[in-house]
Amino acid sequence: MSTFGSIFRVTTYGESHCKSVGCIVDGVPPNMSLTEEDIQPQLTRRRPGQSKLTTPRNEKDQVEIQSGTEFGKTLGTPIAMVVKNKDQRPHDYSEMDKYPRPSHADFTYQTKYGIKASSGGGRASARETIGRVAAGAIAEKFLQQINDVEIVAFVSSVGDCSMDRSCLNPDFMELLQNITREQVDAAGPIRCPDPEKAEKMTKIVEHYRDQHDSIGGVVTCVVRNVPIGLGEPAFDKLEALLAHAMLSIPASKGFEIGSGFEGTKIPGSKHNDPFVQKGDKLGTSTNNSGGIQGGISNGENIYFSVPFKSPATICQEQQTSTYEGSDGVLSSKGRHDPNVVPRAIPIIEAMTALVLADAYLIQKSRESTFGVVY
Amino acid sequence: MSTFGSIFRVTTYGESHCKSVGCIVDGVPPNMSLTEEDIQPQLTRRRPGQSKLTTPRNEKDQVEIQSGTEFGKTLGTPIAMVVKNKDQRPHDYSEMDKYPRPSHADFTYQTKYGIKASSGGGRASARETIGRVAAGAIAEKFLQQINDVEIVAFVSSVGDCSMDRSCLNPDFMELLQNITREQVDAAGPIRCPDPEKAEKMTKIVEHYRDQHDSIGGVVTCVVRNVPIGLGEPAFDKLEALLAHAMLSIPASKGFEIGSGFEGTKIPGSKHNDPFVQKGDKLGTSTNNSGGIQGGISNGENIYFSVPFKSPATICQEQQTSTYEGSDGVLSSKGRHDPNVVPRAIPIIEAMTALVLADAYLIQKSRESTFGVVY
Amino acid sequence: MSTFGSIFRVTTYGESHCKSVGCIVDGVPPNMSLTEEDIQPQLTRRRPGQSKLTTPRNEKDQVEIQSGTEFGKTLGTPIAMVVKNKDQRPHDYSEMDKYPRPSHADFTYQTKYGIKASSGGGRASARETIGRVAAGAIAEKFLQQINDVEIVAFVSSVGDCSMDRSCLNPDFMELLQNITREQVDAAGPIRCPDPEKAEKMTKIVEHYRDQHDSIGGVVTCVVRNVPIGLGEPAFDKLEALLAHAMLSIPASKGFEIGSGFEGTKIPGSKHNDPFVQKGDKLGTSTNNSGGIQGGISNGENIYFSVPFKSPATICQEQQTSTYEGSDGVLSSKGRHDPNVVPRAIPIIEAMTALVLADAYLIQKSRESTFGVVY
Amino acid sequence: MSTFGSIFRVTTYGESHCKSVGCIVDGVPPNMSLTEEDIQPQLTRRRPGQSKLTTPRNEKDQVEIQSGTEFGKTLGTPIAMVVKNKDQRPHDYSEMDKYPRPSHADFTYQTKYGIKASSGGGRASARETIGRVAAGAIAEKFLQQINDVEIVAFVSSVGDCSMDRSCLNPDFMELLQNITREQVDAAGPIRCPDPEKAEKMTKIVEHYRDQHDSIGGVVTCVVRNVPIGLGEPAFDKLEALLAHAMLSIPASKGFEIGSGFEGTKIPGSKHNDPFVQKGDKLGTSTNNSGGIQGGISNGENIYFSVPFKSPATICQEQQTSTYEGSDGVLSSKGRHDPNVVPRAIPIIEAMTALVLADAYLIQKSRESTFGVVY
């Protein structure tokens, strides 16, 4: 469905060619200062076409808060947000509409619903993520205020060019400890903080773009200053909620936390994170667990990676079939994004914030009862 | 929390040393034949100690249906199932209880709840999964009856020994098309269907076992005959629900579907799955998508992989800290499982069935309205 | 929270002085013809000030569909609807703001959230119900199309003037069988279909209005052509969902279904509804149960009544206390509605439709499995 | 479905002739002392046949905690509870099974599920409420510990003999302030605290019992020491959750809170509850609102009433129809309860506690954020 979260809860709406896209965010704590200026920056980072523009086109994807705040403060009531669509008209039927686009949602939407939006995939459109990013900006502000929580995502691979993101690589673990959102954006449109890799990744994207083809990549995200105790066993372990959130992002194909797939090769004696005193609380000297043990945050950095497939829309001719089963050739027109991972970054940050804000509030309801002598 | 699913919904209970573990399964369709004999086989596959036994110890982990069936038929009412614990007594305090076990849930449970079970991780215990497996067996029977759905999981890597599970490997895609649960179990206790790999994997496990150490691995799961149309955009995409389910299994560290992480290196022109007529419906000639497009099943095989970390409990001495922050050495006693992936197989199959049964029922509520002329 | 329903699900937003009010309706079946013209009539019936106007002021509370439809058909995706507020500015502090208004939500909102909207009760505002009425209009159209379901609410009492709504009164049961929405509206602004009572009720309202006072009343609602089998034991019995829905409407104080409170005086031998053959299915010859047995609709008319308290806002001086606990006199200004029951009618109809549409879809998911031979 | 609540959440199972009935309670705060002795008393109050016995039959309906506690303390993990059924065998087909019992759930269950338990209504059985009462006892203990919350229900009418429960009756309001559970039970098996009414009610029940008939009644419930701020606008207003809970109890036909139906006759000037300083916080001098304003508790006593219909099972012959539509006469055998309201009391107290414990925890999650300077 279109609702995510239980206490801090977002419901999104909208597709490509309707009047607007947006969301309702319910359960936002009251008394928090909040205006459109807290939300717009991440929407702006999500916008298409950023890398080809010399001036920011601020007129696009402007968010407008409809409810839930007064005099710049949250009321504790639902916050609705609206972003107008520029192209509000469903398009007319064309020859190309006979073909479900390969690896797109055209076919599955048509079969599931018995109808589909003229734009094709309907809610599979990237515009659906606007509501998420707007809601996530509120969640993120809340987490910052509560515990200085920092969420930073960046591109860690494009095609076959990859940073070494092993949990055994001290440089990568150091980077996770220090990387800022500003550094990520300063790294150029590819949003990879390793300058050499960034240059190579950019060339890879240009290569596929010039061939009217596309290429995928991986985004890594780190969260610092997470309170201990977030996540609800057994089914709502914190990593399970994060995985759910990440796999709900269009074009994502996976998720790994901490040592991930490669970690299966590390024996327990080396993989286990020993406990050490850190300031006034217990921490771990390594962090192969990725900040979560038994489904519950342990106070160390949470970090995970998410692969995104090569975009399905390409301008090469593709041999495929019509809805009716006749073989044919589909030729897509127009300019298409040869690689989506840089734009996925604010979406990943948003979904991460939504998961953590909800988990935080649920845990707080429990902690409220600790002090009582039963 | 301890509830999973919306229409077909399981709630589990129990930890290591309480009286019993089990679950309530709500929303099971009525009129389905069901007895304990439908449920016990997967519980038996999940039991510990199987590989060292020449005779099946059937007396262990016996499930008992409490409600929801009569004369061997489901009533449509909740089905409660109970499995008695053999060791029902919480253990006494020992020297080792001063130490939170590294990479275990002891520390996070203690901090989250202000108390923990004497057994340590409480619900992080593997016994928590018994209720899942029992519930999953019901979901699986339902899916088999409805559409001959087949769910088969197997071990695809242990340590650094891995099958080539690339979507571009025709042998692996062929294996996914044909592999049966019987073949998996016939492959020996390691449950890897490639005999050569299985032998090597077994040696790896024995190696770490002899060193009082442990090692991880990866389980791959394939689902055949999935009806088209399952999964709910935007947040409850089918792959998001599967990822949620898999990351909720103890010790799992990730999830990838279809081409997964490696697929990010395949350009769109090659990664896209062209449509072709298959019998009376549309299918795809390749299946890099892993059976899901736009969050909705497309009728092709769904396949995904889940990495499991090396078990945290090892009998080597470990340098770590007490809860109070004093350095010390933790020495665990007893026999511990050096590798968990074979036993994870029925759990993964169960969680997969639970996701699909729920998605199926939700989609059916929609399809019921298609025939109406509005 | 601000979300209602599980498969057919509405989320509302908005308070008195924000930019707009509205909702997102998720889970609307696809392929249903739908435009604003299907929704506006019930919003127009809900508008304030109707009874004093000779011409309909159609410019007010105009709904605008944002998403989820194309070319006048539902897509199966979320339908967002927006109604602009005329007065979008929070008002400035006044002397009266020192006092929480008696029997209003000012005090409880302030205490619960630590802040309140300048308009006072925030989401306790009647404008919150606009999103419900808009969503309910969609649910109602769906139910009409599916099974000719008819939902008609009317005023059955104002102050001490009441229709005899006993289940033992054949005239009332006859009225429930035949009453139409057109008849209700034709009965004049008080919306009571008994002309004599209507006249008396009108005089009662005028009496209290002239005294700057207010008076309550009761709304009765009947639903005809409900499919058999709706409602989910144990906690989501159909009457429990209806009661939840009705008590969520501002100013409502109760709910009774079928024979209700008075029915407790009727012995079982007379209260039981005998079964009789009706056409091709079983029905009951009396309907003291109100169309629901064991929490499940039995195909007979569902009817229930909902009392609404006298509006709390009156222009008489009221002896009360400030937030700080100082005694004082509160004098409210302006024109206020001396009686709300006629305007509650479309809200009750909307909430009823939302409950039934959701229950219908859930039951359909189960029915889909009946035909299968297990 | 069979789950109730969001953070403090119960799932029940079981019908008349299965092995056991019971529940899983998830979200119970940790570190609370809890044993079977905290739960058994309310189960014992719920047992049938109490009034005819001179010695308590303690062997019946014995609850056994399965999980979630250790050494008498809650762990924060799910608490499963089991009560064995004495009669575990589904009964054989008899002549009477041709007839759906009038005003019973036989017909609706058969139609909804396409099958029904041999006992008839399946989950409509009163035994379903055992899980609720067990769960409610935990919720109640939590509320007592947290804020000395007191929940007391009593019979306020049987047939046409009724206490004057008007909010304008100072004696009744005084009784609500002081009544204890001990006083209710001391009043005799009818559980009405007014001795004269109790005697008359008893005679009414005996009258209908002797005629092989049955009669209904009303239960009133008061809750004292409710924290201010519980309840979630818009759809989860506290009175909406209570109404949902009450109408989910078998045989209940309504709900009214505070002034209820009669209150609609009281003009606003008299119905409004003026604020006054009470100790260190604001209260109201009257309580026509019933302790809730705008859906949120205001700290005054919450009180409400619930009517229960005359039991449907009577031993008189009833003219009705078979499932196939043939007229005939149904003669039920055995001893049946001529009136259920005294036994409904612990069920109402349990459901009330479940609503409040959940609302409390949700509100605590919000309050946790108030102290933060944003």
Side-chain angles (χ1 to χ4, degrees):
Chain A
M1 311 279 288
S2 296
T3 298
F4 189 79
S6 56
I7 300 289
F8 193 109
R9 182 193 282 170
V10 61
T11 303
T12 67
Y13 74 91
E15 40 264 321
S16 290
H17 299 309
C18 61
K19 288 197 177 159
S20 66
V21 296
C23 64
I24 298 174
V25 194
D26 204 4
V28 178
N31 274 313
M32 184 169 87
S33 64
L34 186 80
T35 69
E36 279 92 347
E37 290 173 28
D38 295 303
I39 296 153
Q40 192 61 48
Q42 285 289 77
L43 283 176
T44 300
R45 287 181 93 211
R46 196 213 69 91
R47 277 191 300 123
Q50 298 169 71
S51 64
K52 297 169 192 149
L53 295 170
T54 50
T55 55
R57 296 195 293 172
N58 281 326
E59 78 284 8
K60 285 212 310 185
D61 288 353
Q62 284 289 332
V63 67
E64 194 176 77
I65 293 175
Q66 299 294 306
S67 66
T69 67
E70 232 176 59
F71 303 115
K73 290 269 186 186
T74 58
L75 295 171
T77 59
I79 298 175
M81 293 185 283
V82 168
V83 172
K84 289 204 174 65
N85 272 338
K86 285 195 78 169
D87 184 0
Q88 301 188 352
R89 288 169 312 172
H91 77 233
D92 293 329
Y93 180 85
S94 83
E95 181 68 13
M96 287 305 98
D97 291 329
K98 293 193 305 185
Y99 295 93
R101 290 168 295 168
S103 290
H104 252 282
D106 302 353
F107 169 69
T108 49
Y109 267 70
Q110 178 65 48
T111 308
K112 181 181 186 67
Y113 296 110
I115 187 174
K116 67 175 180 55
S118 64
S119 59
R123 293 281 282 166
S125 158
R127 286 198 74 73
E128 180 271 329
T129 62
I130 288 177
R132 304 177 183 225
V133 171
I138 298 177
E140 193 178 346
K141 178 158 191 186
F142 170 64
L143 292 164
Q144 286 168 345
Q145 303 276 4
I146 279 289
N147 209 49
D148 290 321
V149 174
E150 298 171 340
I151 305 171
V152 182
F154 57 90
V155 173
S156 61
S157 89
V158 167
D160 56 8
C161 174
S162 180
M163 298 172 73
D164 171 9
R165 47 175 205 268
S166 165
C167 62
L168 302 181
N169 174 7
D171 291 345
F172 192 71
M173 298 307 281
E174 174 84 7
L175 181 143
L176 294 180
Q177 184 60 38
N178 296 305
I179 185 81
T180 67
R181 206 171 278 180
E182 291 67 32
Q183 289 170 342
V184 171
D185 284 356
I190 201 70
R191 289 181 173 150
C192 170
D194 176 325
E196 283 183 41
K197 302 279 186 191
E199 193 179 334
K200 196 169 168 201
M201 289 174 182
T202 303
K203 285 191 175 143
I204 291 172
V205 174
E206 289 169 350
H207 167 77
Y208 285 105
R209 182 196 62 196
D210 294 347
Q211 296 198 342
H212 306 295
D213 206 341
S214 65
I215 193 67
V218 176
V219 175
T220 296
C221 182
V222 63
V223 194
R224 297 186 290 258
N225 301 332
V226 183
I228 305 177
L230 310 193
E232 298 295 309
F235 293 111
D236 296 334
K237 291 186 170 79
L238 195 55
E239 65 268 49
L241 299 175
L242 287 168
H244 187 146
M246 295 307 137
L247 269 294
S248 78
I249 300 174
S252 69
K253 299 298 287 181
F255 173 83
E256 62 179 1
I257 186 158
S259 61
F261 279 87
E262 286 299 306
T264 62
K265 303 174 185 170
I266 309 172
S269 58
K270 191 171 180 186
H271 190 273
N272 283 354
D273 296 313
F275 286 100
V276 291
Q277 189 73 10
K278 288 187 173 179
D280 62 348
K281 56 184 183 180
L282 223 52
T284 63
S285 57
T286 56
N287 183 15
N288 302 323
S289 298
I292 301 176
Q293 284 162 339
I296 301 166
S297 62
N298 68 354
E300 300 294 328
N301 294 344
I302 292 174
Y303 63 97
F304 55 86
S305 294
V306 182
F308 288 85
K309 70 173 183 176
S310 304
T313 305
I314 54 176
C315 288
Q316 290 182 22
E317 294 194 336
Q318 296 182 80
Q319 184 72 36
T320 183
S321 166
T322 65
Y323 284 100
E324 280 69 37
S326 306
D327 289 348
V329 174
L330 170 67
S331 317
S332 293
K333 298 290 186 324
R335 296 175 70 94
H336 297 289
D337 216 337
N339 178 266
V340 296
V341 284
R343 287 183 58 207
I345 282 172
I347 305 170
I348 284 178
E349 290 167 342
M351 292 307 299
T352 303
L354 289 168
V355 166
L356 292 174
D358 196 32
Y360 178 87
L361 289 174
I362 291 172
Q363 172 61 4
K364 280 299 145 181
S365 74
R366 183 177 296 104
E367 283 183 15
S368 70
T369 66
F370 275 14
V372 177
V373 178
Y374 292 107
Chain B
M1 310 280 289
S2 297
T3 298
F4 189 79
S6 56
I7 300 289
F8 193 110
R9 182 195 281 170
V10 61
T11 302
T12 66
Y13 74 91
E15 39 263 322
S16 289
H17 299 311
C18 61
K19 288 198 177 159
S20 67
V21 297
C23 65
I24 299 173
V25 194
D26 204 4
V28 178
N31 274 313
M32 185 169 85
S33 64
L34 186 80
T35 69
E36 278 92 346
E37 289 173 28
D38 295 302
I39 296 152
Q40 191 61 47
Q42 285 289 77
L43 283 175
T44 301
R45 288 180 92 211
R46 196 212 71 91
R47 277 191 298 123
Q50 298 170 72
S51 64
K52 296 169 192 150
L53 295 169
T54 50
T55 55
R57 296 196 294 173
N58 281 325
E59 78 284 8
K60 285 211 310 184
D61 288 354
Q62 284 290 332
V63 68
E64 195 177 76
I65 293 176
Q66 299 293 306
S67 65
T69 67
E70 233 178 56
F71 302 114
K73 288 270 185 184
T74 59
L75 297 171
T77 58
I79 298 174
M81 293 183 283
V82 168
V83 172
K84 289 204 174 62
N85 272 337
K86 283 195 79 170
D87 184 1
Q88 300 188 354
R89 289 168 312 173
H91 75 234
D92 293 329
Y93 180 86
S94 83
E95 180 69 14
M96 288 306 95
D97 290 330
K98 294 194 305 184
Y99 295 93
R101 289 168 295 168
S103 291
H104 252 282
D106 302 351
F107 169 68
T108 49
Y109 267 70
Q110 177 66 47
T111 308
K112 180 180 187 69
Y113 296 110
I115 187 175
K116 67 173 181 54
S118 65
S119 58
R123 293 281 282 167
S125 157
R127 286 198 74 74
E128 181 271 327
T129 61
I130 287 177
R132 305 177 183 224
V133 171
I138 299 177
E140 192 176 346
K141 177 156 191 186
F142 170 64
L143 293 164
Q144 285 168 346
Q145 303 277 4
I146 279 290
N147 208 49
D148 289 320
V149 174
E150 298 171 340
I151 305 171
V152 183
F154 57 90
V155 173
S156 60
S157 90
V158 167
D160 56 9
C161 174
S162 181
M163 297 172 74
D164 171 10
R165 49 176 204 264
S166 164
C167 63
L168 302 182
N169 174 7
D171 292 344
F172 192 72
M173 298 308 279
E174 174 82 9
L175 180 143
L176 293 181
Q177 184 60 38
N178 296 306
I179 185 81
T180 66
R181 204 169 280 180
E182 290 68 31
Q183 290 170 343
V184 171
D185 284 356
I190 201 71
R191 287 180 174 152
C192 170
D194 178 325
E196 282 182 41
K197 301 280 186 190
E199 192 179 337
K200 197 169 167 201
M201 289 175 182
T202 303
K203 285 190 176 145
I204 292 173
V205 174
E206 289 169 349
H207 167 78
Y208 285 104
R209 182 196 61 193
D210 294 345
Q211 298 198 341
H212 306 296
D213 206 341
S214 65
I215 192 68
V218 176
V219 176
T220 295
C221 182
V222 62
V223 194
R224 297 185 291 258
N225 301 331
V226 183
I228 305 177
L230 310 193
E232 299 296 308
F235 292 112
D236 297 333
K237 291 185 170 80
L238 195 55
E239 65 267 49
L241 299 175
L242 288 169
H244 186 146
M246 295 306 136
L247 269 294
S248 78
I249 301 174
S252 70
K253 300 298 288 181
F255 173 84
E256 63 179 1
I257 186 160
S259 61
F261 278 87
E262 285 300 305
T264 63
K265 302 173 184 171
I266 309 172
S269 58
K270 192 170 179 186
H271 190 272
N272 284 352
D273 296 314
F275 285 100
V276 291
Q277 188 73 11
K278 288 186 174 180
D280 63 348
K281 56 186 183 178
L282 224 51
T284 63
S285 56
T286 56
N287 184 15
N288 303 322
S289 298
I292 302 176
Q293 283 163 338
I296 301 166
S297 62
N298 68 355
E300 300 294 328
N301 293 344
I302 293 175
Y303 63 98
F304 55 86
S305 295
V306 182
F308 288 85
K309 70 174 185 178
S310 304
T313 304
I314 54 176
C315 288
Q316 290 183 21
E317 294 194 338
Q318 295 183 80
Q319 182 73 36
T320 183
S321 166
T322 65
Y323 284 99
E324 278 70 37
S326 306
D327 290 349
V329 173
L330 171 66
S331 317
S332 292
K333 297 291 187 322
R335 295 177 71 94
H336 297 288
D337 215 336
N339 178 265
V340 297
V341 284
R343 289 183 56 208
I345 282 172
I347 306 171
I348 283 178
E349 291 167 341
M351 293 306 299
T352 302
L354 289 168
V355 166
L356 291 173
D358 196 33
Y360 178 86
L361 290 175
I362 292 172
Q363 172 61 4
K364 281 299 146 181
S365 75
R366 183 178 294 103
E367 284 184 14
S368 71
T369 67
F370 275 14
V372 177
V373 179
Y374 291 107
Chain C
M1 310 279 289
S2 296
T3 297
F4 189 80
S6 57
I7 299 289
F8 192 110
R9 184 194 280 171
V10 61
T11 303
T12 67
Y13 75 90
E15 40 263 322
S16 290
H17 299 309
C18 62
K19 288 197 177 159
S20 66
V21 296
C23 64
I24 298 174
V25 194
D26 203 4
V28 179
N31 274 311
M32 184 170 85
S33 65
L34 186 81
T35 69
E36 278 92 346
E37 288 173 29
D38 295 302
I39 296 153
Q40 191 62 45
Q42 285 289 76
L43 284 175
T44 300
R45 287 181 92 211
R46 196 213 69 91
R47 277 191 299 123
Q50 298 170 70
S51 63
K52 297 168 192 151
L53 294 170
T54 49
T55 55
R57 298 195 293 172
N58 282 325
E59 78 282 9
K60 285 211 309 183
D61 288 353
Q62 284 289 331
V63 68
E64 196 176 75
I65 293 174
Q66 299 294 304
S67 66
T69 67
E70 233 178 56
F71 302 115
K73 288 269 186 184
T74 59
L75 296 170
T77 59
I79 298 175
M81 293 184 282
V82 168
V83 171
K84 290 204 174 67
N85 272 337
K86 287 196 76 169
D87 184 1
Q88 301 187 351
R89 289 168 311 173
H91 77 233
D92 294 329
Y93 180 85
S94 84
E95 181 67 12
M96 287 305 98
D97 290 330
K98 293 194 305 185
Y99 295 94
R101 289 169 295 168
S103 291
H104 251 283
D106 302 353
F107 169 69
T108 49
Y109 267 70
Q110 178 65 48
T111 308
K112 181 180 185 70
Y113 295 110
I115 187 173
K116 66 174 180 56
S118 65
S119 58
R123 293 280 283 166
S125 158
R127 286 197 75 74
E128 180 271 329
T129 62
I130 287 177
R132 303 176 183 224
V133 171
I138 298 176
E140 193 178 345
K141 177 157 192 185
F142 170 64
L143 292 165
Q144 285 168 346
Q145 304 276 4
I146 279 290
N147 209 48
D148 290 321
V149 174
E150 298 172 340
I151 305 171
V152 182
F154 57 91
V155 173
S156 61
S157 90
V158 167
D160 55 9
C161 174
S162 180
M163 297 172 73
D164 171 8
R165 49 176 204 267
S166 164
C167 63
L168 302 182
N169 174 6
D171 292 345
F172 192 71
M173 298 308 281
E174 174 82 9
L175 181 144
L176 294 180
Q177 184 59 37
N178 296 305
I179 185 82
T180 66
R181 206 170 277 181
E182 291 67 31
Q183 290 169 343
V184 171
D185 284 358
I190 201 71
R191 288 180 173 151
C192 170
D194 177 326
E196 282 182 42
K197 301 280 187 191
E199 192 180 336
K200 198 168 167 202
M201 288 174 182
T202 304
K203 284 191 176 142
I204 291 171
V205 174
E206 289 170 349
H207 167 78
Y208 284 105
R209 182 196 63 196
D210 293 347
Q211 297 198 341
H212 306 295
D213 206 341
S214 65
I215 192 68
V218 176
V219 175
T220 295
C221 182
V222 62
V223 194
R224 295 185 292 257
N225 301 332
V226 183
I228 305 177
L230 310 193
E232 298 295 308
F235 292 112
D236 296 333
K237 291 187 170 79
L238 194 56
E239 65 267 48
L241 299 174
L242 287 168
H244 186 146
M246 295 307 136
L247 269 295
S248 79
I249 301 174
S252 69
K253 300 298 287 181
F255 173 83
E256 63 178 1
I257 186 159
S259 61
F261 279 87
E262 286 299 306
T264 63
K265 302 174 186 170
I266 308 173
S269 57
K270 192 171 178 185
H271 190 272
N272 283 354
D273 297 313
F275 285 100
V276 291
Q277 188 73 11
K278 288 187 173 180
D280 63 347
K281 56 186 181 177
L282 224 51
T284 63
S285 56
T286 55
N287 184 14
N288 302 322
S289 298
I292 302 176
Q293 284 164 339
I296 301 166
S297 62
N298 67 355
E300 300 294 327
N301 294 343
I302 293 174
Y303 63 97
F304 56 86
S305 294
V306 182
F308 288 85
K309 70 173 184 178
S310 304
T313 305
I314 53 176
C315 287
Q316 290 182 22
E317 294 194 337
Q318 296 183 80
Q319 182 73 36
T320 184
S321 166
T322 65
Y323 284 100
E324 279 69 38
S326 306
D327 290 348
V329 173
L330 171 67
S331 316
S332 293
K333 296 292 188 320
R335 296 176 72 94
H336 298 290
D337 215 336
N339 178 267
V340 296
V341 284
R343 288 183 57 207
I345 282 171
I347 305 169
I348 284 178
E349 290 167 341
M351 293 306 300
T352 302
L354 290 168
V355 166
L356 292 174
D358 197 32
Y360 178 86
L361 290 174
I362 291 172
Q363 172 60 4
K364 281 298 144 182
S365 75
R366 183 177 296 105
E367 284 183 15
S368 70
T369 67
F370 275 14
V372 178
V373 178
Y374 292 106
Chain D
M1 309 280 286
S2 296
T3 298
F4 189 79
S6 56
I7 300 289
F8 192 110
R9 182 194 281 170
V10 62
T11 303
T12 67
Y13 74 91
E15 40 264 321
S16 290
H17 299 310
C18 61
K19 288 198 178 159
S20 65
V21 297
C23 64
I24 299 174
V25 194
D26 204 4
V28 178
N31 274 312
M32 184 169 86
S33 64
L34 186 80
T35 69
E36 279 92 346
E37 289 172 29
D38 295 302
I39 295 153
Q40 192 62 46
Q42 285 289 77
L43 283 176
T44 300
R45 286 181 93 211
R46 196 213 70 91
R47 277 190 299 123
Q50 298 170 70
S51 63
K52 297 169 193 148
L53 294 170
T54 49
T55 56
R57 296 196 294 173
N58 281 325
E59 78 283 8
K60 285 212 309 184
D61 289 354
Q62 284 290 332
V63 68
E64 195 176 76
I65 293 175
Q66 299 295 304
S67 65
T69 67
E70 233 178 56
F71 302 115
K73 290 269 186 183
T74 59
L75 296 170
T77 59
I79 298 174
M81 292 183 283
V82 168
V83 171
K84 289 204 174 64
N85 272 338
K86 284 195 78 169
D87 183 2
Q88 301 188 353
R89 290 168 310 173
H91 75 233
D92 292 328
Y93 179 85
S94 83
E95 180 68 14
M96 288 304 96
D97 291 331
K98 294 193 305 184
Y99 295 93
R101 288 169 295 169
S103 290
H104 252 283
D106 301 352
F107 169 70
T108 49
Y109 267 69
Q110 178 65 46
T111 309
K112 180 180 186 70
Y113 296 110
I115 188 174
K116 68 174 180 56
S118 65
S119 59
R123 293 282 282 166
S125 157
R127 286 197 75 74
E128 179 271 328
T129 62
I130 287 177
R132 305 177 182 223
V133 171
I138 299 177
E140 192 177 346
K141 178 157 191 185
F142 170 64
L143 293 164
Q144 285 168 346
Q145 304 277 3
I146 278 289
N147 208 49
D148 290 320
V149 173
E150 298 171 341
I151 305 172
V152 183
F154 57 91
V155 173
S156 60
S157 89
V158 167
D160 56 8
C161 175
S162 180
M163 297 173 74
D164 171 9
R165 50 175 204 266
S166 164
C167 63
L168 301 182
N169 174 6
D171 292 345
F172 192 72
M173 299 308 279
E174 175 82 8
L175 180 144
L176 294 180
Q177 185 59 38
N178 297 306
I179 186 82
T180 66
R181 205 169 278 180
E182 290 69 30
Q183 288 170 344
V184 171
D185 285 356
I190 201 73
R191 287 180 174 153
C192 170
D194 177 325
E196 282 182 43
K197 301 279 187 192
E199 193 180 333
K200 197 169 167 201
M201 289 174 182
T202 303
K203 284 189 177 145
I204 291 172
V205 174
E206 289 169 350
H207 167 77
Y208 284 104
R209 182 197 61 195
D210 294 347
Q211 299 197 339
H212 306 295
D213 206 342
S214 66
I215 192 67
V218 176
V219 176
T220 295
C221 182
V222 62
V223 195
R224 297 185 291 258
N225 301 332
V226 182
I228 305 177
L230 310 193
E232 298 296 309
F235 292 111
D236 296 333
K237 291 186 170 80
L238 195 55
E239 65 267 49
L241 299 175
L242 287 168
H244 186 146
M246 295 306 136
L247 269 294
S248 79
I249 301 174
S252 69
K253 300 298 288 181
F255 173 84
E256 64 179 359
I257 187 160
S259 60
F261 278 86
E262 286 300 306
T264 64
K265 303 174 183 170
I266 309 171
S269 58
K270 192 169 178 187
H271 190 272
N272 284 353
D273 297 314
F275 286 100
V276 291
Q277 189 74 11
K278 288 186 174 179
D280 62 349
K281 55 185 182 178
L282 225 51
T284 63
S285 56
T286 55
N287 184 16
N288 302 323
S289 299
I292 302 175
Q293 284 163 339
I296 301 165
S297 63
N298 68 355
E300 300 293 329
N301 294 343
I302 292 175
Y303 62 98
F304 55 85
S305 295
V306 182
F308 288 85
K309 70 172 184 179
S310 305
T313 304
I314 53 176
C315 288
Q316 290 183 21
E317 294 195 337
Q318 295 183 80
Q319 182 73 38
T320 183
S321 166
T322 65
Y323 284 100
E324 279 68 38
S326 306
D327 290 347
V329 173
L330 171 66
S331 316
S332 293
K333 297 291 186 325
R335 296 176 71 95
H336 297 289
D337 216 337
N339 178 266
V340 297
V341 284
R343 288 182 57 207
I345 282 172
I347 306 169
I348 284 178
E349 290 166 342
M351 293 306 300
T352 302
L354 289 168
V355 166
L356 292 174
D358 196 34
Y360 178 86
L361 289 174
I362 292 172
Q363 171 61 4
K364 280 300 144 180
S365 75
R366 183 178 296 105
E367 283 183 15
S368 70
T369 67
F370 275 13
V372 177
V373 179
Y374 292 107

